[in-house]
Amino acid sequence: MAKTAESIVARAKALVGQSRNQVGCAGAHAWCAHFVSNVLRYIGIDDLYDLSCTSMQAKMAKSPKWSEPEDNPKPGDILFFDWDHIIEERPLDHVGVVEKFDASTGTITYINGNGSSSYYVTRQTININNSTISYWMRYVGDDVKTPEKPIESTVTDKKAIKYCTVELEVLSKGCESPSVETLQNLLVDLGYDIDVDGNFWTETEAAVKKFQDVSKLTVDGVVGAKTWKALIEAE
């Protein structure tokens, strides 16, 4: 197993049994993609942070550091699910980290947030032939030396993209919570130079106001539904 894949599995395993708040995914939103984003960011993969499964997979598909393998899942692969197989704009419904694959039984063991528990990180198993599995993506960046240019690719050959609804708490100056860390991560991904510490103080408020201004939102420094939506879609 490549070094990065080992790190992905090790980090995911370390979080099994912890609550969504403990792993930095506080809020009322579906947090499976958020959990995987935090796992990847923890080990140094910073360019995939997303709260949407479909958007995350689209970023992987565009990156030379990720591939959609045709062989069986391996530890560290990112496993994507489509529960209903409805043709919609964002078809992917769930995502988790592959811990292991038993070729003799065809069983995938994976670790996920918002899976068998809506509040805790859990370990689950599923047969590789289960129709809800869409595909798995594999980090190959350890083998990429000097990529000439990003691979131009989209998920349109699979299914189109859909906007999801995400509910997070309203934030303003003085708040201290994991949701503030989520806000700060999104701002950092958009190029704002702020600390990610979970504290909504002057620096974060200034970044929020600047984002609201360029996004043609009310510039009040309060992160409500419209500002959350703009931040996520800007990703």
Side-chain angles (χ1 to χ4, degrees):
M1 191 189 337
K3 183 177 180 180
T4 300
E6 291 178 350
S7 299
I8 292 172
V9 174
R11 179 57 180 169
K13 288 173 66 175
L15 300 178
V16 172
Q18 293 193 30
S19 71
R20 64 182 299 167
N21 291 352
Q22 290 174 303
V23 299
C25 300
H29 58 296
W31 54 289
C32 56
H34 196 171
F35 167 71
V36 173
S37 292
N38 285 353
V39 168
L40 296 176
R41 171 158 281 180
Y42 181 86
I43 68 163
I45 300 176
D46 296 323
D47 55 348
L48 297 175
Y49 196 86
D50 213 297
L51 304 187
S52 160
C53 302
T54 300
S55 291
M56 177 183 290
Q57 195 279 334
K59 291 178 182 179
M60 290 178 176
K62 292 178 181 178
S63 171
K65 295 184 178 181
W66 291 85
S67 73
E68 182 186 342
E70 296 184 1
D71 58 350
N72 289 328
K74 293 183 178 180
D77 286 356
I78 307 302
L79 188 65
F80 290 92
F81 299 82
D82 179 3
W83 302 135
D84 49 23
H85 296 287
I86 296 174
I87 296 178
E88 51 193 351
E89 290 186 43
R90 288 199 177 184
L92 298 178
D93 300 308
H94 193 60
V95 62
V97 175
V98 175
E99 180 181 8
K100 61 183 178 180
F101 174 67
D102 186 340
S104 65
T105 62
T107 301
I108 304 170
T109 300
Y110 63 99
I111 296 168
N112 59 167
N114 203 41
S116 58
S117 168
S118 62
Y119 194 67
Y120 293 98
V121 178
T122 58
R123 176 183 284 110
Q124 293 179 243
T125 59
I126 192 170
N127 189 276
I128 192 173
N129 295 316
N130 191 295
S131 63
T132 63
I133 297 175
S134 287
Y135 32 72
W136 43 93
M137 301 297 291
R138 181 172 302 156
Y139 186 79
V140 295
D142 292 333
D143 302 319
V144 175
K145 304 303 180 185
T146 51
E148 295 180 359
K149 57 184 285 189
I151 298 173
E152 295 297 331
S153 172
T154 67
V155 293
T156 53
D157 59 333
K158 298 176 180 298
K159 295 175 183 177
I161 296 181
K162 169 189 175 186
Y163 288 98
C164 63
T165 299
V166 175
E167 295 182 4
L168 288 168
E169 60 185 301
V170 175
L171 300 175
S172 58
K173 188 175 181 180
C175 291
E176 297 181 19
S177 74
S179 290
V180 176
E181 184 175 343
T182 299
L183 165 67
Q184 291 168 330
N185 277 317
L186 290 169
L187 288 168
V188 168
D189 280 355
L190 294 173
Y192 293 89
D193 184 17
I194 60 173
D195 292 330
V196 179
D197 57 10
N199 298 314
F200 195 130
W201 298 115
T202 303
E203 180 184 64
T204 300
E205 182 186 45
V208 168
K209 286 183 175 180
K210 185 174 181 180
F211 174 79
Q212 289 173 327
D213 185 42
V214 300
S215 301
K216 296 182 171 31
L217 299 169
T218 301
V219 181
D220 57 7
V222 177
V223 183
K226 291 182 179 179
T227 301
W228 276 121
K229 183 175 185 292
L231 282 164
I232 294 167
E233 290 183 349
E235 283 282 297

